Amino acid sequence: MRGPLSRRADRASASPTLAISSQAKALARNFGDVISLAAGEPDTPTPPHIVQAGIDALHRGATRYLPVAGLPDLRRAIADQSMMLRGWRPEADGEVLVTCGAKHALFHCFQVLLEAGDKVLLSDPAWVSYGPQIRLADGEPVKVASLASEGFYPRVEALEAAYDERCRALIINSPNNPTGLMAQPEQIEAITRWAAERGVWLISDEIYGRITFSDGPKMLSPVQVEGADLDRILVIDGVSKAYAMTGWRIG
Ligand SMILES: Cc1ncc(COP(=O)(O)O)c(C=O)c1O
């Protein structure tokens, strides 16, 4: 494309994940046995009963426009599943929004929360797409220092040091991409209470929440924390990782 684009479009960068993925594919073509750790993509296919249910739905005529917030049955199922996973049932009709994947849900969050110059705090390292999405919404991503010994989840002191009146939101992602680490319950509790005290929106990206060891600890969500401000927490989740449905685009 040659013509001038908007300044906003110029600020968008190509997805580094996809760039590394195609580099890995090129290496695999030349060298054979290459394991790509770029895209978070399960190495199993979508389970056959899910594929079949999709085919059956298409044959039944589920090919038309839908309610903007998603199919009522799906929103109810999401609310039920959240109850199972987090012990918290959002209102299916009002608090659950179906999107074209978790990435799209995050895009919406930044678009609706941020005014130009608003800051969003991120742990460091963080998933590569948060920063560009925040910038596309005219916001400023601010990485908060954290220690390897603390699983790269920031302490309240570090959040407080990064905070100013332009700080509008904080993203946490546990279990985390890229580190693979899950926050300790006391870290989630401290971060959640800090966000509530500061009146900062807490965006909790829980896309990897169901990929945990069966004999290990389970994810704790901010919505489970006593003292959480449920009016300012956005839980991001989707089917891509848990059900190997990355191409179906449901968040
Ligand atoms: C941390 C994190 N959040 C969100 C997503 C996006 O998931 P989806 O496929 O539902 O858009 C990914 C995908 O890699 C991710 O790693």
Side-chain angles (χ1 to χ4, degrees):
M1 206 183 319
R2 283 167 192 274
L5 301 176
S6 68
R7 267 176 294 166
R8 191 178 320 108
D10 276 339
R11 274 202 303 273
S13 44
S15 161
T17 314
L18 297 184
I20 299 168
S21 295
S22 34
Q23 218 174 348
K25 277 187 193 136
L27 283 172
R29 271 196 300 277
N30 293 333
F31 301 106
D33 194 13
V34 170
I35 297 172
S36 170
L37 299 177
E41 181 129 49
D43 55 4
T44 52
T46 305
H49 66 284
I50 299 180
V51 174
Q52 193 57 52
I55 293 169
D56 292 347
L58 293 174
H59 283 308
R60 274 200 315 273
T63 56
R64 303 293 184 145
Y65 286 130
L66 301 175
V68 172
L71 284 171
D73 280 354
L74 177 56
R75 295 167 82 196
R76 271 193 294 278
I78 291 169
D80 289 347
Q81 209 196 28
S82 178
M83 184 65 199
M84 259 156 49
L85 280 174
R86 309 178 179 93
W88 167 69
R89 186 190 297 280
E91 252 176 61
D93 184 15
E95 292 184 313
V96 177
L97 182 68
V98 183
T99 59
C100 305
K103 194 170 187 177
H104 187 217
L106 286 157
F107 179 83
H108 278 307
C109 288
F110 303 130
Q111 292 294 324
V112 300
L113 291 183
L114 302 183
E115 301 290 352
D118 280 350
K119 295 180 180 173
V120 181
L121 305 185
L122 309 173
S123 51
D124 187 18
W127 183 44
V128 288
S129 291
Y130 298 137
Q133 286 202 345
I134 293 165
R135 281 194 205 92
L136 263 183
D138 295 327
E140 188 191 325
V142 177
K143 291 201 167 173
V144 181
S146 50
L147 299 172
S149 57
E150 291 170 0
F152 297 106
Y153 289 97
R155 283 168 173 247
V156 162
E157 294 77 16
L159 293 172
E160 199 54 33
Y163 176 85
D164 65 24
E165 71 288 350
R166 292 314 306 261
C167 178
R168 181 93 167 121
L170 157 68
I171 304 178
I172 49 168
N173 170 216
S174 169
N176 184 274
N177 177 5
T179 66
L181 297 169
M182 190 152 64
Q184 298 297 319
E186 53 279 12
Q187 291 176 307
I188 295 288
E189 284 161 9
I191 290 170
T192 304
R193 291 191 188 122
W194 178 82
E197 275 157 30
R198 276 294 186 192
V200 162
W201 281 88
L202 181 53
I203 301 171
S204 181
D205 183 347
E206 300 176 9
I207 190 84
Y208 293 104
R210 276 160 284 172
I211 305 190
T212 54
F213 292 102
S214 51
D215 57 352
K218 296 290 158 232
M219 169 195 74
L220 181 74
S221 169
V223 295
Q224 295 169 279
V225 173
E226 218 186 295
D229 179 358
L230 290 179
D231 287 337
R232 278 186 205 243
I233 296 181
L234 292 159
V235 173
I236 307 294
D237 203 349
V239 298
S240 287
K241 322 292 181 179
Y243 303 107
M245 292 173 71
T246 44
W248 292 62
R249 310 311 302 137
I250 305 170

